[in-house]
Amino acid sequence: MAFGKNPHVAKAEAAEAKAQMAQDASSYALAWREAGQLWERAADRETDAKRRAIYAGNAERARATADEPPPSFEQPA
């Protein structure tokens, strides 16, 4: 890890990718909630106000996505 880098940003992006590849509704919502928490942690550690606002917005978006109905998870016949 390089100095000055916020490690929670990469973790939050990975959690969003995991949510998009989820196979069922519960893992979809759980991954989005995890992403929201990680974006919040990234915002808390950020010193730049502009990036802090972006990360906080990403946290709200991730939590809102977790509360929305998930996409259809149909199994092929």
Side-chain angles (χ1 to χ4, degrees), residues 19 22-33 65-66 68-75:
Q23 297 296 318
D24 59 44
S26 62
S27 61
Y28 174 84
L30 183 65
W32 277 114
R33 290 187 200 291
T65 303
E68 293 175 358
S72 155
F73 291 103
E74 297 178 9
Q75 298 295 330

Side-chain angles (χ1 to χ4, degrees), residues 6 10 12 34 37 46 50 56 72:
N6 191 332
E34 179 183 1
Q37 181 182 19
E46 189 56 54
K50 186 175 181 180
S72 155

Side-chain angles (χ1 to χ4, degrees), residues 8-71:
H8 298 292
V9 173
K11 292 176 183 179
E13 290 170 345
E16 286 186 356
K18 181 179 172 183
Q20 293 171 351
M21 296 185 326
Q23 297 296 318
D24 59 44
S26 62
S27 61
Y28 174 84
L30 183 65
W32 277 114
R33 290 187 200 291
E34 179 183 1
Q37 181 182 19
L38 289 167
W39 279 120
E40 190 68 36
R41 291 175 96 185
D44 289 344
R45 290 191 171 208
E46 189 56 54
T47 56
D48 180 33
K50 186 175 181 180
R51 280 187 286 195
R52 187 180 316 121
I54 290 170
Y55 298 162
N58 287 348
E60 289 298 318
R61 178 185 48 80
R63 289 186 181 115
T65 303
D67 293 337
E68 293 175 358

